[in-house]
Every structure is written in structure tokens, then in C-alpha cells.
Amino acid sequence: MGKMQFNALVNGHTIVMDAPERVGGEDTGPIPKPFILTALTGCTGMDVASILRKQDITINDLNIVATGEISKQHPIVYTSVHLIYECKGDEAYKEAVLQAIIDSQEKLCGVSNMLKRIIPVSWEVSYNGEVIHSNKEISLQIMH
């Protein structure tokens, strides 16, 4: 589609990928690797939203931040991923939200479960600014 640009057709939607200008692209879209993190946050986020909707629970905000450690040598790959679920809502729903996230991570999210076969995927939950759950240490110890 141009110097380094590729258009991907996904379920009838076009997604533009490109490289930064410093490596020969035109920076018309994101580079491909972060789409793995995007797929992960979308998968687990949709799980949580669906679970809460079925329970008739509404929260004010669900933001999922994904970060990935990358290798130092080629091929450059993710060596671990960490998710932070930032939730805001009524205190009465805190445990239900945490359980929905646990269910997504342990039973439902195919992207997370696929990644966990090859790298550590850790996560934590913040509810109204307070960290209420973290499995970071556990997940990283398993891989050692």
C-alpha cells in the first residue's frame, strides 16, 4: 500500500499498519507487534463487560493498560506482558468486578490463555484507585 504500509482486512474492517519514517515507513498506522497487546486488552475487556452486563452491574469506567517487556535481540518478541485493570464504580460491585476479571483471565480470554503458553502474563486490579488484586509475583515465579 506504500513504502511499508499494509492494510489488513479483519472481519470486514480495514486496519492500517505502517512503520515509522525513521525505518522507511510513513507512520500512517501503528506497527504490528502492539496489536497483540490490543487483542489481549480487547478480549479480556469484552469478557468483563459481558459478565457484568449479564449480572446487571454497571461500573463507571474500565480501562485496561497493557505493557510488554521485549527481547534485546532479534527476533524482537514479547518476553512478558502485564495488564492493569483500572476500574471505577460503586463499592458494592468491587468483588463482582474482581471475579469477572478472574474468570476472564482463568477461564475465558483465549488471547490471554494462548499467550500464557509461551510467556508470563501477569495482571492487577485497581478499583477506585486502590489495588485490590495482583498476581504479578506469582506469575513471574512460575516461569523461573
Side-chain angles (χ1 to χ4, degrees):
M1 302 302 301
K3 295 177 180 178
M4 297 284 284
Q5 181 182 333
F6 283 82
N7 291 349
L9 186 62
V10 181
N11 296 335
H13 303 278
T14 301
I15 298 172
V16 176
M17 296 176 280
D18 201 354
E21 291 178 10
R22 64 176 164 59
V23 293
E26 296 177 331
D27 202 22
T28 60
I31 61 174
K33 196 178 336 266
F35 282 112
I36 294 170
L37 302 180
T38 303
L40 174 58
T41 58
C43 180
T44 188
M46 288 180 192
D47 286 345
V48 172
S50 176
I51 292 167
L52 296 177
R53 185 176 304 120
K54 288 176 185 172
Q55 296 176 7
D56 202 27
I57 293 174
T58 302
I59 60 173
N60 300 335
D61 193 29
L62 172 61
N63 185 43
I64 305 169
V65 177
T67 55
E69 292 284 325
I70 57 172
S71 61
K72 305 274 190 259
Q73 299 176 358
H74 288 276
I76 305 297
V77 298
Y78 289 116
T79 58
S80 68
V81 172
H82 184 66
L83 297 171
I84 301 173
Y85 294 83
E86 300 170 334
C87 311
K88 293 180 183 169
D90 190 310
E91 283 294 316
Y93 299 140
K94 179 167 51 175
E95 290 303 317
V97 170
L98 176 58
Q99 189 59 55
I101 293 167
I102 290 170
D103 287 348
S104 174
Q105 281 299 311
E106 293 182 358
K107 301 175 188 172
L108 300 172
C109 180
V111 177
S112 183
N113 281 280
M114 185 171 40
L115 287 173
K116 286 176 187 175
R117 292 176 183 215
I118 55 173
I119 60 173
V121 177
S122 59
W123 51 277
E124 64 188 78
V125 180
S126 169
Y127 200 86
N128 293 333
E130 173 193 358
V131 175
I132 62 170
H133 182 84
S134 176
N135 81 335
K136 188 169 186 175
E137 294 78 21
I138 295 168
S139 177
L140 295 177
Q141 286 175 359
I142 291 170
M143 293 303 291
H144 287 147

